[in-house]
Amino acid sequence: MTKPDFSTILRWRLAPITLLALALPQSASASGTEPGISALIKWLPLLLQGFAVDVGISVAAMAIGTVLGALLGIGQVSQIALVRTLADWITQFFRNAPWLVLLFFCVLLLPYQIQFFGWTIPFPAWVKGIIGLMLPVMGNVSEVVRGGIQSLPSGQWEAANALAFSRGQTLRMIILPQAIKRMVPPWMNVYAVLMMATPLVSIVGVEDSVTVARAVLSAENSTALLMPVYGLLLILFFAYCYPIARWTRRLEKRYAIA
């Protein structure tokens, strides 16, 4: 089979941008007020601000979910049966729960403010969004950590035991440094999935990219801008997630298990 040339590959990777470019003239001709591309340029700073909110929420949810998920993953390989069972149940519950349902639970169950020793601490919508996305991330990262630890041969544990290492020392000094290399590719894949699911926070009232896009369409009052605005969001998410996907594939090849 012949290998495709560079021009063919470039055309496929620029396909989303080409689709948006084709959509802009159509919106300009269909709109009697303002050309589509001019409207996009006018609202671009606000759309980028909404996209930055998505990025910030995804980073925060991934950071918290990674810490808690790592603890759960280590708990799944614990020698204490109660800890192992509890960590496994928590992992499977949040890993298999619908992300949208978890977000709704956070909206309905978490208060809008907390009274603490006479102080009123606000509980804004973006915090609820972070918590709602952090929970499924925690479950998925827990499985990544468990799989990375158990992917190492049992001889590692036996050799450390022969050298009088405790289980905690073996895990911290021998197992985890080797397992992290195998955890990084699936961990990055979890983040890419999280980033693509971040627009769900619009249901809790967070002014993210989707919420801003709706406001832009409402302000312009033109259905012809529907495809260009959401097409721009598509390109923003693609431009952000595609390098992560490529980097993940390179790391998978680099740290492939023989």
Side-chain angles (χ1 to χ4, degrees):
M1 183 175 64
T2 60
K3 186 177 181 180
D5 57 6
F6 177 77
S7 60
T8 303
I9 298 175
L10 186 61
R11 284 196 300 270
W12 277 103
R13 293 184 179 176
L14 293 180
I17 300 177
T18 305
L19 290 175
L20 180 61
L22 292 174
L24 290 178
Q26 295 177 1
S27 65
S29 59
S31 175
T33 57
E34 187 176 17
I37 191 167
S38 300
L40 280 183
I41 293 175
K42 182 178 70 174
W43 294 105
L44 181 59
L46 191 60
L47 290 170
L48 290 176
Q49 182 179 349
F51 181 74
V53 172
D54 286 322
V55 174
I57 290 176
S58 69
V59 170
M62 192 68 192
I64 300 173
T66 296
V67 174
L68 298 179
L71 295 177
L72 276 178
I74 294 174
Q76 287 194 83
V77 297
S78 174
Q79 290 183 320
I80 303 174
L82 179 61
V83 174
R84 187 171 60 250
T85 302
L86 185 61
D88 180 67
W89 273 98
I90 294 175
T91 297
Q92 297 306 321
F93 178 81
F94 288 111
R95 182 169 178 260
N96 296 287
W99 294 36
L100 186 59
V101 175
L102 291 174
L103 278 171
F104 272 120
F105 266 96
C106 289
V107 173
L108 297 175
L109 296 180
L110 296 178
Y112 290 97
Q113 59 184 17
I114 301 175
Q115 298 291 336
F116 185 74
F117 291 105
W119 292 82
T120 301
I121 304 175
F123 213 75
W126 62 267
V127 175
K128 296 181 181 181
I130 290 175
I131 295 175
L133 293 177
M134 173 270 295
L135 294 174
V137 169
M138 177 183 66
N140 283 277
V141 171
S142 176
E143 278 295 283
V144 170
V145 172
R146 179 201 60 79
I149 293 175
Q150 293 184 342
S151 67
L152 294 175
S154 59
Q156 299 280 346
W157 295 93
E158 296 169 359
N161 187 40
L163 294 173
F165 280 82
S166 66
R167 184 173 179 85
Q169 290 175 328
T170 303
L171 188 64
R172 184 176 66 256
M173 302 172 60
I174 299 174
I175 301 299
L176 285 180
Q178 300 180 72
I180 285 177
K181 294 180 179 180
R182 303 182 179 188
M183 297 176 191
V184 169
W187 177 85
M188 293 175 61
N189 187 53
V190 171
Y191 176 69
V193 174
L194 166 64
M195 182 60 194
M196 289 183 286
T198 304
L200 292 174
V201 298
S202 61
I203 67 171
V204 300
V206 179
E207 294 185 357
D208 73 319
S209 59
V210 175
T211 305
V212 172
R214 292 173 185 159
V216 169
L217 293 174
S218 178
E220 291 292 329
N221 194 23
S222 173
T223 57
L225 285 175
L226 184 66
M227 181 177 291
V229 169
Y230 283 108
L232 178 60
L233 292 185
L234 174 64
I235 291 175
L236 289 176
F237 277 92
F238 174 81
Y240 185 82
C241 294
Y242 180 73
I244 298 176
R246 296 297 300 177
W247 192 15
T248 301
R249 294 183 65 177
R250 285 198 293 267
L251 289 176
E252 285 176 349
K253 294 178 180 179
R254 182 175 180 180
Y255 300 131
I257 301 175

